[in-house]
């Protein structure tokens, strides 16, 4: 009798360098653990968080990848605090002495040792400058070497601000793009009494989503380009931008999240080096935004898409109550193919108990108006580029380099309007340390006229900020062909801060400037 052959289905091998071979939605979304204080100092919680090299599995069918993580975790542990609760954090560097990503030796302080240097910035925090994570306050392993503005080993966070989703990340001069890409990111959540009175989804229904893009080599190691295309005459060379070919949420490639048929709150962070995302849920069904970078909006905003630039945060509520059994993909409509997909929500869990949470009609009283006519100072700040001696673009702010003298010196008590004049052909997410601001408007202008004589000839009326960016912000998209205006009041904490583009490749070369906040004479 003829033997019947069984034809086995061909199983394609996963090649981490080829995203088409990596199956999606096979890993469950992990939730970063909560950081726990080591002890108390003068009645205040004291944390020690150590940066370590570790192995991380981005996907169950890929080998473990070398990354750098806070407490050896990627993403790092989430720090939870209450408004006005002072805490202390000692950020410790136990990383190797050699970097595993390509270092451009022509950039600030990268020519000599230490090759590996770190400093942690709590992004969005109102904090004393010595605890802000100044780019030149870096330190090497065990604090053996320190940068020019290093002042203290233990940072103090007073949390004198609205409840909000902040994040912490590396900010070392000249290598921020590499250290963040290596894994040095984590969330920091402040809760305030107003939020606690609102019946929002909480506990297991309050979920962080830290979104990044990555690329991998065939062996599963992280890929970051060594040079530009076409190559610069020096090697390695800084990139003008970096776009990965996979999407990572909370450390997993294209994860799935099994949810109950009820409302969930999601705290979304774009922690990518360069990429901006526009988020859409499933077939474009509505969801509700409740907060921006600096905390709650005055009232929820119904959206079907949500643009989010690098470093921006947005909090949304998705109601799955009528979607039992459905599977909805969170898409990135800025891209197609693999990077057009972020994760999937599977409404497959049974409802544990009746959902009594709400999407309130109002969230926060708007009792802190800032009016442009009341500004003490208006600053005009250009975003532009020129070429260096190797014909590479140097991205610049107000036509100045990082080490040029300080020109932005806000005075405590003053209200300032900053107008970002974008002279380039792509948008930039502009971040100002220390404060939260409000976006006033964007206004088109005559670029050719400005480049001729520096005169701003507006070609249209001011355009109001989008509904999703009308809350307190610390990062704003400065659009192409626009003058983007923001307003802020400097109330405390004189000292040395910075402002910069939050495309990490840009801030490293050279789109970052010092800012000195001064006391009134």
């Amino acid at each position: 009798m003829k033997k019947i052959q069984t034809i086995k289905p061909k199983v394609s091998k996963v090649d981490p360098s080829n995203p088409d071979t990596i199956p999606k939605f096979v890993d469950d979304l992990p939730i970063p653990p909560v950081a726990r204080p080591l002890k108390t100092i003068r009645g205040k919680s004291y944390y020690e968080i150590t940066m370590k090299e570790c192995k991380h599995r981005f996907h169950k069918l890929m080998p473990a990848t070398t990354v750098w993580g806070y407490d050896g975790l990627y993403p790092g542990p989430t720090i939870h605090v209450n408004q006005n609760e002072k805490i202390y954090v000692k950020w410790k560097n136990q990383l190797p002495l050699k970097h595993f990503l390509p270092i451009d030796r022509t950039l600030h302080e990268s020519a000599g040792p230490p090759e590996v240097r770190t400093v942690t910035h709590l992004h969005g925090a109102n904090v004393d400058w010595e605890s802000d994570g100044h780019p030149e306050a870096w330190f090497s392993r065990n604090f053996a070497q320190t940068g020019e503005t290093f002042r203290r080993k233990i940072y103090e966070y007073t949390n004198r601000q609205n409840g909000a989703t902040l994040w912490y990340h590396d900010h070392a001069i000249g290598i921020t793009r590499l250290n963040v890409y290596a894994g040095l990111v984590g969330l920091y959540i402040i809760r305030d009494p107003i939020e606690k009175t609102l019946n929002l989804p909480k506990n297991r229904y309050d979920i962080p989503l830290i979104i990044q893009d990555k690329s991998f080599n065939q062996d599963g190691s992280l890929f970051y380009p060594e040079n530009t295309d076409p190559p610069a005459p020096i090697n390695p060379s800084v990139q003008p931008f970096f776009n990965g070919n996979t999407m990572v949420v909370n450390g997993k490639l294209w994860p799935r999240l099994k949810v109950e048929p009820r409302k969930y709150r999601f705290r979304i962070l774009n922690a990518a080096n360069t990429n901006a995302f526009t988020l859409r849920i499933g077939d474009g069904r509505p969801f509700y935004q409740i907060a921006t970078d600096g905390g709650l909006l005055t009232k929820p905003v119904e959206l079907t898409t949500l643009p989010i630039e690098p470093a921006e945060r947005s909090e949304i509520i998705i109601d799955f109550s009528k979607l039992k059994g459905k599977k909805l993909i969170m898409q990135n409509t800025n891209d197609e193919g693999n990077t057009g997909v972020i994760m999937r929500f599977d409404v497959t869990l049974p409802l544990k108990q009746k959902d009594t949470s709400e999407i309130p009609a109002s969230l926060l009283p708007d009792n802190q108006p800032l009016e442009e006519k009341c500004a003490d100072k208006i600053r005009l700040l250009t975003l532009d580029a020129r070429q260096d001696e190797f014909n590479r673009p140097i991205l610049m702010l107000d036509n100045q380099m990082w080490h040029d003298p300080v020109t932005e010196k806000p005075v405590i008590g003053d209200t300032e309007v900053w107008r970002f004049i974008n002279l380039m052909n792509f948008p930039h997410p502009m971040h100002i340390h220390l404060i939260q601001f409000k976006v006033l408007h964007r206004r088109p202008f005559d670029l050719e006229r400005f480049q001729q004589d520096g005169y701003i000839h507006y070609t249209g009326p001011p355009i109001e900020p989008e509904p999703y960016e009308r809350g307190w912000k610390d990062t704003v998209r400065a659009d192409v062909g626009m003058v983007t205006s923001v307003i802020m009041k400097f109330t405390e904490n004189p000292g040395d801060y910075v402002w910069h583009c939050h495309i990490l490749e840009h801030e490293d070369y050279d789109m970052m400037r010092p800012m000195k906040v001064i006391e009134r004479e």
Side-chain angles (χ1 to χ4, degrees):
M1 191 171 72
K2 189 176 180 181
K3 186 176 180 182
I4 299 173
Q5 286 187 319
T6 303
I7 301 174
K8 294 182 179 180
K10 186 177 180 181
V11 179
S12 60
K13 185 179 178 183
V14 170
D15 174 1
S17 70
N18 180 359
D20 291 337
T21 71
I22 306 171
K24 298 177 176 65
F25 319 130
V26 298
D27 284 291
D28 289 326
L29 178 82
I31 307 300
V34 175
R36 302 296 179 192
L38 184 66
K39 59 183 179 180
T40 58
I41 297 178
R42 297 187 291 276
K44 310 300 181 185
S45 293
Y46 168 82
Y47 297 77
E48 287 189 356
I49 296 180
T50 304
M51 293 164 263
K52 305 174 186 176
E53 186 168 278
C54 54
K55 291 290 188 179
H56 175 80
R57 196 171 291 277
F58 283 90
H59 192 282
K60 65 169 59 175
L61 300 179
M62 285 170 50
T65 301
T66 296
V67 299
W68 289 356
Y70 290 103
D71 275 351
L73 300 169
Y74 167 69
T78 302
I79 299 174
H80 289 264
V81 297
N82 292 316
Q83 185 183 48
N84 298 320
E85 174 194 357
K86 183 188 292 186
I87 69 166
Y88 300 99
V89 181
K90 185 176 186 179
W91 305 99
K92 300 170 69 176
N93 181 342
Q94 288 292 324
L95 294 166
L97 298 178
K98 297 278 295 177
H99 216 297
F100 69 90
L101 296 173
I103 291 181
D104 182 341
R105 300 288 183 180
T106 67
L107 299 191
H108 309 285
E109 301 175 40
S110 297
E115 180 172 307
V116 175
R117 54 190 183 276
T118 61
V119 61
T120 302
H121 168 53
L122 179 52
H123 183 118
N126 170 12
V127 65
D128 179 87
W129 81 270
E130 294 181 349
S131 296
D132 184 55
H134 191 277
E136 292 185 329
W138 55 261
F139 51 95
S140 65
R141 190 164 72 186
N142 296 325
F143 300 100
Q145 293 174 271
T146 58
E148 183 180 339
T149 59
F150 179 88
R151 295 292 183 275
R152 54 190 304 170
K153 293 181 179 180
I154 300 172
Y155 280 13
E156 178 183 276
Y157 299 126
T158 57
N159 302 304
R160 290 196 299 263
Q161 60 192 98
N162 294 342
T165 300
L166 311 184
W167 66 302
Y168 60 90
H169 62 82
D170 186 75
H171 212 287
I173 184 108
I175 55 171
T176 296
R177 70 197 185 286
L178 304 179
N179 291 351
V180 170
Y181 187 69
L184 294 178
V185 298
L187 283 186
Y188 186 105
I189 295 173
I190 304 174
R191 301 185 188 275
D192 65 23
I194 291 178
E195 180 191 347
K196 291 178 180 178
T197 65
L198 301 171
N199 191 20
L200 301 170
K202 59 184 180 181
N203 301 328
R204 68 165 67 93
Y205 308 112
D206 180 352
I207 294 177
L209 300 177
I210 302 170
I211 306 173
Q212 292 182 298
D213 53 344
K214 305 281 187 189
S215 292
F216 298 89
N217 297 304
Q218 282 189 324
D219 64 359
S221 58
L222 280 175
F223 169 78
Y224 187 89
E226 191 170 273
N227 211 312
T228 55
D229 184 17
I234 54 167
N235 196 67
S237 175
V238 67
Q239 311 295 305
F241 57 85
F242 170 78
N243 297 321
N245 58 20
T246 68
M247 300 300 289
V248 179
V249 188
N250 294 0
K252 289 294 182 184
L253 288 171
W254 299 296
R256 68 188 176 199
L257 176 64
K258 297 174 183 175
V259 297
E260 301 173 29
R262 54 155 295 146
K263 292 184 286 296
Y264 280 74
R265 175 182 184 174
F266 295 101
R267 300 171 184 263
I268 301 171
L269 160 66
N270 180 348
N273 279 36
T274 297
N275 256 341
F277 311 126
T278 297
L279 309 181
R280 184 173 71 176
I281 309 299
D283 55 1
R285 65 181 54 253
F287 53 89
Y288 298 87
Q289 183 195 25
I290 59 170
T292 48
D293 304 336
L296 293 173
L297 296 163
T298 55
K299 59 183 180 181
V301 176
E302 183 177 331
L303 301 170
T304 56
T305 60
L306 174 64
I308 186 165
E309 292 283 320
E312 286 188 311
R313 285 89 64 215
S314 188
E315 298 181 32
I316 66 173
I317 293 176
I318 303 176
D319 188 353
F320 298 105
S321 60
K322 297 178 181 178
L323 300 171
K324 186 175 181 180
K326 301 281 188 183
K327 296 180 179 180
L328 298 97
I329 293 175
M330 177 185 275
Q331 303 160 52
N332 166 32
T333 63
N334 287 7
D335 289 316
E336 296 180 347
N338 292 305
T339 52
V341 176
I342 295 177
M343 63 175 292
R344 192 178 73 190
F345 301 105
D346 294 357
V347 193
T348 55
L349 294 180
L351 187 64
K352 291 189 183 299
Q353 58 194 36
K354 184 180 178 181
D355 179 15
T356 58
S357 66
E358 297 174 341
I359 303 173
S362 62
L363 295 161
L364 186 72
D366 192 11
N367 57 2
Q368 298 172 287
L370 291 174
E371 297 184 4
E372 189 169 5
K373 64 183 180 182
C374 298
D376 298 286
K377 190 170 186 66
I378 295 176
R379 300 183 188 271
L380 305 179
L381 304 162
T382 59
L383 318 182
D384 203 357
R386 64 175 173 85
Q387 287 189 320
D388 69 7
E389 65 269 34
F390 305 110
N391 294 318
R392 303 177 301 176
I394 308 175
L395 288 301
M396 303 184 73
L397 298 173
D398 220 25
N399 202 35
Q400 301 200 62
M401 303 281 285
W402 163 250
H403 284 299
D404 287 333
V406 185
T407 48
E408 285 65 58
K409 298 179 180 179
V411 177
I412 295 293
D414 277 2
T415 296
E416 294 203 359
V417 170
W418 289 22
R419 303 200 198 284
F420 299 115
I421 307 167
N422 191 350
L423 307 180
M424 287 181 274
N425 61 358
F426 45 85
H428 295 267
M430 297 306 302
H431 171 49
I432 307 172
H433 284 218
L434 175 64
I435 50 83
Q436 296 287 330
F437 52 71
K438 287 288 182 80
V439 182
L440 287 170
H441 45 70
R442 295 179 178 90
R443 196 167 183 183
F445 71 105
D446 186 334
L447 175 59
E448 289 186 10
R449 169 74 188 272
F450 183 86
Q451 290 175 327
Q452 286 172 3
D453 61 13
Y455 180 77
I456 302 177
H457 173 66
Y458 290 115
T459 57
I463 301 168
E464 294 292 310
E466 298 292 342
Y468 55 80
E469 57 181 1
R470 292 183 184 173
W472 291 105
K473 301 276 295 162
D474 53 56
T475 306
V476 64
R477 185 187 70 253
D479 273 340
V480 174
M482 294 282 185
V483 177
T484 302
S485 297
V486 301
I487 187 168
M488 62 210 120
K489 186 178 179 70
F490 292 86
T491 59
E492 59 180 339
N493 290 324
D496 295 314
Y497 297 90
V498 299
W499 61 285
H500 57 89
C501 173
H502 219 286
I503 293 175
L504 302 185
E505 285 72 18
H506 294 182
E507 74 170 84
D508 274 349
Y509 192 56
D510 202 88
M511 214 170 187
M512 180 164 62
R513 289 285 295 144
M515 173 178 74
K516 192 172 193 68
V517 180
I518 59 177
E519 297 272 18
R520 190 176 303 280
E521 294 181 357

